[in-house]
Amino acid sequence: MSEKNIRERERSEAAKKAALRKKKRRRRRRITALLVFLFISAIVLYILSLTVLFKIDGITVENNALYSEGEIISASEIKPGDNLFALSASKTQNKITKTLPFVEEVKLKRQLPSKLTLIITETKEEVCYYKDGVYYAGDKKGKILKEYAEKPENLVVIKTSADIEITIGEYIKFTNSEEKELINKHFQLCESYGYILNMIDVSDVYNSRIRIDDRFLVEFGSYSNIEPKAAHLGAMLKQMEAKKTGVIDLKVWTPEKAEAFFSERSIEGLE
């Protein structure tokens, strides 16, 4: 091949490479322009969604029995014209559950373009706390629902130390977390071993006591071995005569010496 042909070939290859680089630059510019356009469009749509679009014009409530739809909507502080997507689910739930104590949970269901449904889960009175001359009814999870001047009937009485903070519409606050753990554990154990709780006393976490079946006062002692103690209690109750009532002492129970003592007597006034 002559020198002239070689130079022409080199020029041709260089021209092809230059054209290819130019084509790649144009493609990159088009892609960059497209990405910028999409980014700006997303920002515009986001701003519109929070200002002009999705304004609420209808609010409904589901699963409410204890409070009216109007009470729940008022407590939510949501108004027609508010933006559907600017709402905070957690803040809305917090407002409603504090204002209306028997509401346990609130879920927001958004229906485009402008409808909102508040789905309510309600709770109920299950336990009763006593502090400073007032009885406070709450649920098993520790939410305080209502106060009474006299002890309400058919609730599990929970006795704690004085170091608790009680506010209607909020969850009880324990200075000693062991008290809360013991209460939860006793509820769990009663379901596992089939006895009915009437009272839980955790005012002394080293000597917790429960009253069950309106017949027995049970002294558990410390938290140690509480589950096998409850299993032992369940077995004892199955063998107990129907009319017997008294005190069951599980404080002496150990894995090495699995025993408990029963003292037959009236338990009235022993709480």
Side-chain angles (χ1 to χ4, degrees), residues 121-138:
T121 301
E122 295 178 334
T123 187
K124 61 182 180 179
E125 296 180 2
E126 297 170 295
V127 303
C128 175
Y129 299 89
Y130 180 80
K131 184 179 181 183
D132 299 332
V134 179
Y135 292 93
Y136 295 91

Side-chain angles (χ1 to χ4, degrees), residues 28-43:
R28 283 197 296 268
R29 284 197 293 268
R30 285 197 296 269
I31 292 173
T32 301
L34 178 60
L35 290 175
V36 170
F37 172 77
L38 291 174
F39 178 71
I40 293 173
S41 298
I43 292 175

Side-chain angles (χ1 to χ4, degrees), residues 211-258:
R211 178 171 173 161
I212 60 172
D213 300 339
D214 283 322
R215 296 170 55 203
F216 304 104
L217 181 67
V218 184
E219 298 181 343
F220 269 86
S222 69
Y223 191 90
S224 177
N225 297 311
I226 191 170
E227 187 138 0
K229 287 178 181 179
H232 189 102
L233 172 63
M236 287 182 68
L237 295 175
K238 289 179 181 179
Q239 300 174 10
M240 198 76 71
E241 294 178 14
K243 293 184 179 181
K244 282 192 174 183
T245 181
V247 178
I248 299 174
D249 186 353
L250 286 163
K251 296 193 301 293
V252 296
W253 193 99
T254 64
E256 295 76 25
K257 194 174 183 181

Side-chain angles (χ1 to χ4, degrees), residues 4 22 26 68 74-76 111 129 135 164 197 203 217-218 222 236:
K4 181 180 179 181
K22 187 175 181 180
R26 285 199 301 267
S68 69
S74 176
S76 75
Q111 299 160 289
Y129 299 89
Y135 292 93
I164 55 173
L197 280 169
S203 56
L217 181 67
V218 184
S222 69
M236 287 182 68

Side-chain angles (χ1 to χ4, degrees), residues 9-219:
R9 183 175 178 181
E10 288 175 347
R11 284 196 295 270
S12 175
E13 290 178 354
K16 287 179 181 179
K17 289 180 180 179
L20 182 60
R21 286 195 297 270
K22 187 175 181 180
K23 184 178 180 180
K24 286 181 178 179
R25 283 196 297 271
R26 285 199 301 267
R27 184 182 300 159
R28 283 197 296 268
R29 284 197 293 268
R30 285 197 296 269
I31 292 173
T32 301
L34 178 60
L35 290 175
V36 170
F37 172 77
L38 291 174
F39 178 71
I40 293 173
S41 298
I43 292 175
V44 171
L45 286 173
Y46 176 73
I47 293 172
L48 288 174
S49 71
L50 296 180
T51 55
V52 179
L53 304 176
F54 308 120
K55 288 188 175 181
I56 297 171
D57 64 13
I59 308 172
T60 57
V61 179
E62 293 182 0
N63 301 339
N64 55 309
L66 300 175
Y67 300 106
S68 69
E69 182 174 277
E71 288 176 308
I72 292 170
I73 293 173
S74 176
S76 75
E77 299 181 6
I78 299 171
K79 302 176 293 297
D82 288 349
N83 186 272
L84 194 63
F85 289 100
L87 297 174
S88 166
S90 60
K91 288 181 180 178
T92 299
Q93 173 170 284
N94 194 47
K95 290 175 183 177
I96 295 174
T97 55
K98 283 189 174 182
T99 305
L100 306 174
F102 284 87
V103 176
E104 179 183 7
E105 183 182 31
V106 182
K107 292 184 179 179
L108 274 57
K109 180 180 178 182
R110 297 173 174 88
Q111 299 160 289
L112 298 179
S114 58
K115 304 297 181 186
L116 176 69
T117 301
L118 303 175
I119 302 173
I120 303 299
T121 301
E122 295 178 334
T123 187
K124 61 182 180 179
E125 296 180 2
E126 297 170 295
V127 303
C128 175
Y129 299 89
Y130 180 80
K131 184 179 181 183
D132 299 332
V134 179
Y135 292 93
Y136 295 91
D139 63 16
K140 286 182 181 179
K141 295 179 181 179
K143 187 179 184 185
I144 304 302
L145 307 174
K146 189 175 179 179
E147 68 175 59
Y148 292 91
E150 297 182 358
K151 186 173 76 172
E153 299 294 325
N154 303 317
L155 299 181
V156 180
V157 176
I158 298 183
K159 297 184 177 184
T160 67
S161 67
D163 298 326
I164 55 173
E165 183 178 328
I166 292 181
T167 304
I168 302 295
E170 299 184 12
Y171 287 87
I172 186 170
K173 296 176 182 176
F174 294 88
T175 301
N176 185 353
S177 62
E178 291 182 17
E179 292 183 40
K180 181 180 180 180
E181 292 174 11
L182 262 174
I183 292 167
N184 292 338
K185 191 64 176 180
H186 278 302
F187 275 118
Q188 176 191 329
L189 293 173
C190 82
E191 292 177 2
S192 298
Y193 297 106
Y195 46 83
I196 299 172
L197 280 169
N198 310 120
M199 182 273 293
I200 302 174
D201 183 354
V202 294
S203 56
D204 179 358
V205 294
Y206 298 105
N207 186 26
S208 69
R209 306 184 303 160
I210 61 173
R211 178 171 173 161
I212 60 172
D213 300 339
D214 283 322
R215 296 170 55 203
F216 304 104
L217 181 67
V218 184
E219 298 181 343

